Structure formats: structure tokens, C-alpha cells
């Protein structure tokens, strides 16, 4: 309700060149003038430049590239935005436990304890895009790896289609441009019998931030201009919806492989049982990496991958 009122106030103000009176707004929105005033004060505190005069309110300037729920008309009720949070994964788990629906999005401007793979942290400064989406994929357990295959493929396709970037995929699910990482993802899954019934998919994308992390880059650094996080998120969600219909189809993995920067390279994979070095020759239908060395093939389901040679080496 609160979110919808703010959205309606902004929409009324942005479609009027002149001042809109508090009385007119309260009539259209069906709330008191005091409530209109309070919402306007909140919006001003969030960075919206709204001039207040005896004639009413006038929108002068909206803050650039914000991810407030009312910036997503039609899906406001699914968007949970935090200026600062420990990790969107923690909030998402809580919302999922409370029964929030598939498609619920938890977005943070900054994370104080952003989580990466393998217990690492994910530096989450303002300007990046950090979110977790609640999914209900109903994927059979053996095909669980396809959730992240689909998501990383959807992101690479978005970066290629929307920005013309030559995005590639590093096993298991990093998105690279050249040899620099621009995005990473992880999944928090829950199973019922042999199905993955729920999956909270967390994604961090370096967008307008300047990551102070070795071998990482942001889209703004690559493109030489800032990028709208909202447009990027909306395009990614559309693409994700398309790949989600394909979880059980083999062509999902083939397409992932066609964008892989890992297959065909020498790699070193750190696994909980030691490291494996060899040439990455394939990704099998479950998403596992096939590594060959001295005629011996190993199938790796889990691990931290380092590229140690160029593609084709
Ligand atoms: C990786 O190590 O590559 C995975 C990084 C995943 C980071 C995202 S940011 C949004 C979500 N919240 C977190 O704490 N982590 C994920």
C-alpha cells in the first residue's frame, strides 16, 4: 500500500509540468492530504527533488538509477529493496520461509556481508546490482545444476543482446568479459522428495561500481558509460523466464557450452578432495566439468576453477 502510494505520487507528478495540489493528489489517491505530505517527505529524503509550494508539489528531478519497488510498475509488491543489508540471501531465505511467492525479488544497494561461492565474501559497494530472486523450479535433483546453467546463460545472453558485450561463461557459473569477471551467482536450494522445489538465486553484477577485486571489471568500465541497473535487471528477468522453460532440455547445456570460456582450456580445479589439473574437454548434461589429463578423464561436479591456459591450449 505504502509502496503503491509512492508510485502513484511519482506518476502523478511526472506527468504534470506544473504543480499538483495536495488536495488533488489526496482525491485521486484516496488518502488524506497529511498522508500525501508524509509520502512526499519520504520521497525527498530518498533523493527525489520535489518542490513544495503553496500551489502544491512539483517533481524537479528523480535520483538516477534507483531500484525502489515503485520503479518497477506492475511488480512493486514483489520487490523488497534495502539501502543496506547483510546479504540478500538471508532476507530471501526468511521471505521464502514465510511463504512469499516465486518471483519475489530482494535487492540491496549495498551488502555488508555479501556472500560468494565457497564461503568467500562478495564485495558489494553501491552502484553494483545485488539481488536474490525466489524461484520454484521443480527440477529433478540430478538436474539441479541446470538452474545455475540456465541463469548464467540468461545473463550472458542479456549482456550480449543488450550491450553487445562478448560475454562468456566460466565453469561453473561466472560471467566473464575477456578474462575479467563481471558477475557471479549462487543458489540456496530446498528439496522435496527428488525435486528441487525452491531455489533462491543470488546474483551480483558489477555494473556502475569499480570492483577493487583482482580480475574483476564492471560493465561501466567496459562500456565507458554508466548503465541503468533497472533496465539490466528487467531484461535479465525476461531472459531468465525464457531459459527456465528449458531446464529439462539438452539444448540448454549445448548453448551454455557454446559460450563457455572454460571448455578447451587447461584448468586447475580446487575441490574439497584436492586439486585437479588438465584440459577441460566438456560439460556433461548435468553441468559437471569433464577434465582430461594423460588419457585419464575426471568428472567434476563441484570446485573452484582457475583458467591456466588460453582457449584452445
Ligand atoms: C560468486 O562467488 O561468484 C557468487 C557471488 C554471488 C553474489 C550475490 S550478490 C546478491 C546475493 N547476495 C549475496 O550475499 N550473494 C549473492
Amino acid at each position: 500500500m505504502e509502496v503503491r502510494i509512492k508510485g502513484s505520487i511519482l506518476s502523478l507528478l511526472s506527468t504534470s509540468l506544473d504543480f499538483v495540489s495536495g488536495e488533488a493528489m489526496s482525491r485521486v489517491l484516496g488518502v488524506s492530504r497529511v498522508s500525501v505530505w508524509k509520502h512526499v517527505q519520504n520521497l525527498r529524503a530518498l533523493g527525489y527533488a520535489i518542490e513544495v509550494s503553496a500551489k502544491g508539489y512539483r517533481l524537479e528531478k528523480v535520483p538516477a538509477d534507483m531500484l525502489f519497488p515503485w520503479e518497477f510498475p506492475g511488480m512493486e509488491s514483489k520487490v523488497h529493496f534495502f539501502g543496506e543489508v547483510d546479504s540478500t540471501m538471508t532476507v530471501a531465505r526468511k521471505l521464502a520461509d514465510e511463504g512469499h511467492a516465486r518471483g519475489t525479488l530482494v535487492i540491496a544497494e549495498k551488502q555488508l556481508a555479501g556472500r560468494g561461492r565457497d564461503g568467500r565474501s562478495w564485495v558489494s559497494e553501491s552502484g553494483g546490482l545485488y539481488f536474490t530472486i525466489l524461484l520454484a523450479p521443480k527440477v529433478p535433483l540430478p538436474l539441479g545444476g541446470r538452474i545455475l546453467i540456465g541463469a548464467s546463460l540468461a545473463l550472458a545472453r542479456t549482456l550480449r543482446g543488450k550491450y553487445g558485450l562478448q560475454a562468456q561463461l566460466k565453469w561453473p557459473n561466472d560471467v566473464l568479459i575477456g578474462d575479467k569477471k563481471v558477475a557471479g551467482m549462487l543458489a540456496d536450494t530446498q528439496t522435496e522428495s527428488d525435486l528441487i522445489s525452491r531455489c533462491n538465486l543470488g546474483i551480483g553484477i558489477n555494473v556502475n561500481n569499480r570492483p577493487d577485486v583482482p580480475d574483476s571489471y564492471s560493465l561501466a568500465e567496459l562500456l565507458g558509460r554508466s548503465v541503468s541497473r533497472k533496465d539490466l535487471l528487467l531484461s535479465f528477468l525476461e531472459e531468465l523466464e525464457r531459459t527456465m522453460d528449458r531446464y529439462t532440455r539438452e539444448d540448454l547445456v549445448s548453448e551454455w557450452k557454446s559460450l563457455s570460456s572454460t571448455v578447451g582450456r587447461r584448468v586447475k580445479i580446487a575441490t574439497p578432495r584436492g586439486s585437479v589439473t588438465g584440459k577441460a574437454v566438456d560439460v556433461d548434461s548435468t553441468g559437471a566439468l569433464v577434465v582430461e589429463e594423460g588419457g585419464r578423464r575426471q568428472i567434476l561436479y563441484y570446485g573452484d576453477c582457475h583458467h591456466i591456459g588460453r582457449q584452445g591450449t
Side-chain angles (χ1 to χ4, degrees):
M1 179 65 175
E2 300 283 293
V3 164
R4 209 156 326 130
I5 295 174
K6 287 199 180 54
S8 306
I9 289 177
L10 288 170
S11 135
L12 275 175
L13 293 179
S14 59
T15 48
S16 170
L17 292 174
D18 204 355
F19 285 91
V20 183
S21 73
E23 194 189 329
M25 289 215 273
S26 85
R27 212 176 31 246
V28 176
L29 301 176
V31 297
S32 69
R33 284 170 62 177
V34 174
S35 169
V36 170
W37 182 82
K38 279 190 183 150
H39 283 289
V40 167
Q41 294 312 314
N42 284 166
L43 286 166
R44 292 174 84 191
L46 291 170
Y48 291 84
I50 299 174
E51 195 182 336
V52 183
S53 84
K55 292 191 277 178
Y57 306 102
R58 187 168 66 185
L59 183 62
E60 302 288 335
K61 201 164 177 267
V62 296
D65 194 29
M66 289 311 292
L67 300 164
F68 297 123
W70 50 86
E71 300 284 347
F72 298 88
M75 50 188 277
E76 305 87 324
S77 63
K78 288 194 163 177
V79 176
H80 299 249
F81 173 82
F82 297 84
E84 225 174 58
V85 76
D86 280 354
S87 162
T88 56
M89 299 306 280
T90 316
V91 181
R93 172 59 84 97
K94 186 163 167 282
L95 295 182
D97 289 346
E98 286 169 4
H100 281 255
R102 165 187 187 275
T104 297
L105 267 173
V106 183
I107 309 175
E109 182 63 39
K110 271 186 181 185
Q111 295 184 113
L112 302 175
R115 286 187 224 151
R117 293 183 71 240
D118 302 321
R120 285 191 290 262
S121 59
W122 182 263
V123 180
S124 311
E125 294 299 337
S126 189
L129 179 55
Y130 315 109
F131 64 98
T132 301
I133 180 166
L134 270 57
L135 303 175
K138 307 276 184 294
V139 170
L141 208 46
L143 296 184
R146 300 239 184 127
I147 299 172
L148 284 171
I149 291 214
S152 50
L153 177 61
L155 184 54
R157 284 175 58 100
T158 306
L159 298 180
R160 285 175 167 252
K162 199 167 166 62
Y163 307 101
L165 291 166
Q166 293 304 303
Q168 285 194 298
L169 297 160
K170 178 178 162 208
W171 188 83
N173 42 57
D174 288 348
V175 180
L176 307 184
I177 313 272
D179 261 349
K180 304 276 190 198
K181 176 162 168 171
V182 292
M185 49 189 73
L186 49 84
D188 178 12
T189 52
Q190 284 187 17
T191 53
E192 260 168 51
S193 307
D194 287 340
L195 275 188
I196 295 184
S197 49
R198 292 197 323 206
C199 169
N200 299 338
L201 171 69
I203 304 191
I205 312 175
N206 295 320
V207 185
N208 299 317
N209 53 321
R210 302 207 169 260
D212 189 11
V213 175
D215 296 327
S216 292
Y217 241 158
S218 69
L219 300 182
E221 286 172 311
L222 285 158
L223 292 168
R225 64 173 171 87
S226 61
V227 168
S228 158
R229 293 178 298 176
K230 179 173 87 173
D231 290 351
L232 167 60
L233 178 56
L234 289 172
S235 302
F236 167 72
L237 293 176
E238 269 176 35
E239 198 63 55
L240 183 69
E241 196 67 41
R242 278 195 283 273
T243 56
M244 284 197 308
D245 291 339
R246 298 167 54 199
Y247 281 149
T248 50
R249 287 178 32 188
E250 285 311 308
D251 61 352
L252 183 74
V253 182
S254 333
E255 194 179 341
W256 192 96
K257 278 196 279 188
S258 74
L259 296 186
S260 162
S261 77
T262 301
V263 175
R265 270 190 206 234
R266 277 192 70 72
V267 292
K268 182 171 183 179
I269 314 289
T271 81
R273 285 185 292 143
S275 64
V276 174
T277 304
K279 183 170 179 175
V281 290
D282 200 8
V283 169
D284 77 7
S285 62
T286 65
L289 188 69
V290 184
V291 176
E292 200 174 72
E293 182 73 333
R296 179 165 174 245
R297 284 194 160 206
Q298 294 198 60
I299 298 185
L300 301 170
Y301 294 95
Y302 186 82
D304 205 19
C305 172
H306 299 272
H307 290 164
I308 52 179
R310 284 205 305 275
Q311 257 171 326
T313 56

